[in-house]
Structures are given as structure tokens and as C-alpha cells.
Amino acid sequence: TDAPEFDKPQLLFGCRPCEAASLPILDKVFAWDYQDRFYQLRRQMTTVVTVACHQSDEDCFCSSVGGSPENTDGSDVILYNLADGMFEVRPVTEKGEALFEGKTSESHKTGRACPPPPVTFDPAKCKEWMDSHFDSPFWAEHALRCVGCGVCTFLCPTCHCFDIVDEGSFAKGNRVRNWDFCQSALFTLHASGHNPRPDQGARQRQRLLHKFSIYPDKFGKILCTGCGNCTRYCPTVLGVKPMLEDIEGQEG
């Protein structure tokens, strides 16, 4: 028995631009060689309201991957904080216009986003280095402090790896799609016992290559929005931004 179709409209309210920007990126992979109706129906039934950023921190790097504090990719409406509980409403799509139709009033006030964070690396240069340094000791050296907890992937808006698992008993069960992550030692473990990514260095390399080389080559988009969560919440302060900054500084 197939799972029921998702047919209830839903609203994602208060997203940041770097979160909403993940949706058109993920649209590519879920409508590629297989039309994933489970994803696509939820996407069609979802309206996304974002809030332009009024501040950034040292871990933000949206500007390094083509984003900005007021990027509208993936948004149906973007709000600008005017203070005193008021927001400027700027519809982006027809869904956004329909959501706020008759619910706003005209005003002379206009909102502004914060300045973009500084650009700290060039994705194209980093890709060029990564593509030609697969076996570099850089990966092992920089992954020494990685504990494989997976928080970088759990909080990433674009990480989408999953596993198909049969859960239940011999009498009754469900075939479900579970979130999975490349930083786990079990992620690529074969039934034979062989693991093509046997250590954290190989797993960190896979994560960065996927985001900045493999996915762009296949779909024309970087698999990263520069939210900074992977560094901000990493217990050892690793993540995409410091790794790519170090890669940019490599010679040869």
C-alpha cells in the first residue's frame, strides 16, 4: 500500500534566505532520473515566507557562494523588519501575492537587509584544487579534529542523503526513507566489511567534493547556501567555510 499523497497546504514562515535558497537546489536532484512525487507534492503545497537578514556573524558566508542577506531564491515572499513589530512585505511569486492579498497596507517605509558578509573564498578555485588533489594529505590533516557526530549535515539545508529501510516485524512493516549522512562511519560500509571511505578525512573530502564539484558538474548549482551552520554548531569548529578558506590558501 503506497503512502497517502501529501495534499495539505503548508506554510514555512520566518525562514532565512540561506534556508529558502536550498529548495531550488534540491529541486534538481528530486526531479532528475526519477520524479520524486513525495518531495514534489510537498514542494508544490508549500508557501515559503523568508525574513531578510538584519545581521550576520563570522560564520555566515552566503556571499561566497552567490547568495546574499536578501536573496529571494526559493522564497514566495520576503519580509523586511521595520522595527516596532512592522514588516515590509515584498511578494516574489504568485503564491506569495495570494498569501498576503488584502492583508497589507501601503506605507512610505521601506526595509533594508544587512550588508553581505565578506567573500572569503572562490568556489571555482577551490573546486579546481579539490578535483586535482583527491589523494592529498590535506584531507586527513584537516579532519583530525572531526568526531563524526554529523551535526554539520543534520543542520545543513542542502544535505539530502537518505537510506531506504524496511522497519517492523515479520507480520507487519513499513518501507521508509530515513535521513542519512556521509560523516557516519557506517554510511558507505559494505556488507563485505570493506569501506571505501574508511576515515574522517575521506568522508570530509566526499562532503566537500559533493557540494562544490560533483553536484555543480551534474546540476549546475553549488550544493551549499552559505548558512554557516556546519561551523557554527560544530563542537570542534570545523565545517565548510574554514575548510574552503584553507583550500584556497593551498599552493599547487
Side-chain angles (χ1 to χ4, degrees):
T1 303
D2 285 341
E5 301 285 2
F6 188 85
D7 59 358
K8 296 180 179 179
Q10 64 179 3
L11 176 68
L12 298 182
F13 191 89
C15 301
R16 291 298 177 184
C18 55
E19 296 168 336
S22 67
L23 296 174
I25 296 174
L26 294 177
D27 288 345
K28 299 283 188 179
V29 74
F30 289 111
W32 167 44
D33 60 341
Y34 175 75
Q35 299 298 315
D36 191 324
R37 77 177 194 277
F38 297 104
Y39 170 88
Q40 291 170 358
L41 285 174
R42 283 179 177 267
R43 182 82 163 92
Q44 293 166 10
M45 300 296 288
T46 302
T47 302
V48 182
V49 178
T50 58
V51 181
C53 296
H54 63 276
Q55 64 180 13
S56 62
D57 65 19
E58 60 183 5
D59 296 315
C60 294
F61 62 98
C62 60
S63 52
S64 296
V65 293
S68 78
E70 53 185 342
N71 184 19
T72 58
D73 290 350
S75 300
D76 295 300
V77 178
I78 186 167
L79 306 180
Y80 288 78
N81 194 343
L82 299 176
D84 298 326
M86 295 187 296
F87 291 85
E88 180 187 359
V89 179
R90 298 185 191 176
V92 179
T93 67
E94 291 182 358
K95 280 198 296 185
E97 290 179 355
L99 178 67
F100 281 91
E101 186 175 8
K103 301 180 179 69
T104 61
S105 58
E106 292 188 6
S107 171
H108 66 280
K109 296 182 178 180
T110 187
R112 292 183 179 179
C114 66
V119 174
T120 60
F121 61 85
D122 181 345
K125 289 182 179 179
C126 292
K127 178 185 185 305
E128 183 179 357
W129 187 90
M130 288 189 288
D131 286 347
S132 60
H133 290 80
F134 188 85
D135 294 320
S136 171
F138 171 92
W139 304 110
E141 293 168 359
H142 280 67
L144 285 175
R145 67 179 188 264
C146 177
V147 297
C149 67
V151 69
C152 55
T153 48
F154 186 75
L155 296 176
C156 175
T158 61
C159 279
H160 57 270
C161 290
F162 59 86
D163 194 8
I164 304 295
V165 181
D166 291 332
E167 297 181 347
S169 67
F170 71 92
K172 184 179 180 180
N174 295 305
R175 176 161 291 174
V176 296
R177 173 163 50 182
N178 291 331
W179 174 79
D180 207 348
F181 64 107
C182 63
Q183 299 307 291
S184 166
L186 300 177
F187 185 71
T188 50
L189 181 64
H190 296 186
S192 66
H194 171 66
N195 193 337
R197 299 178 199 138
D199 51 49
Q200 289 306 130
R203 292 189 273 275
Q204 283 285 346
R205 177 186 63 203
Q206 167 61 25
R207 185 162 188 263
L208 291 183
L209 280 171
H210 187 198
K211 288 185 175 297
F212 292 89
S213 181
I214 300 169
Y215 203 92
D217 282 347
K218 193 166 196 66
F219 298 114
K221 284 183 174 288
I222 294 174
L223 189 64
C224 177
T225 64
C227 69
N229 283 342
C230 53
T231 300
R232 190 175 294 113
Y233 298 105
C234 175
T236 63
V237 200
L238 201 55
V240 166
K241 182 172 178 279
M243 288 283 282
L244 291 186
E245 288 174 345
D246 287 347
I247 286 173
E248 176 127 329
Q250 297 297 305
E251 297 181 359

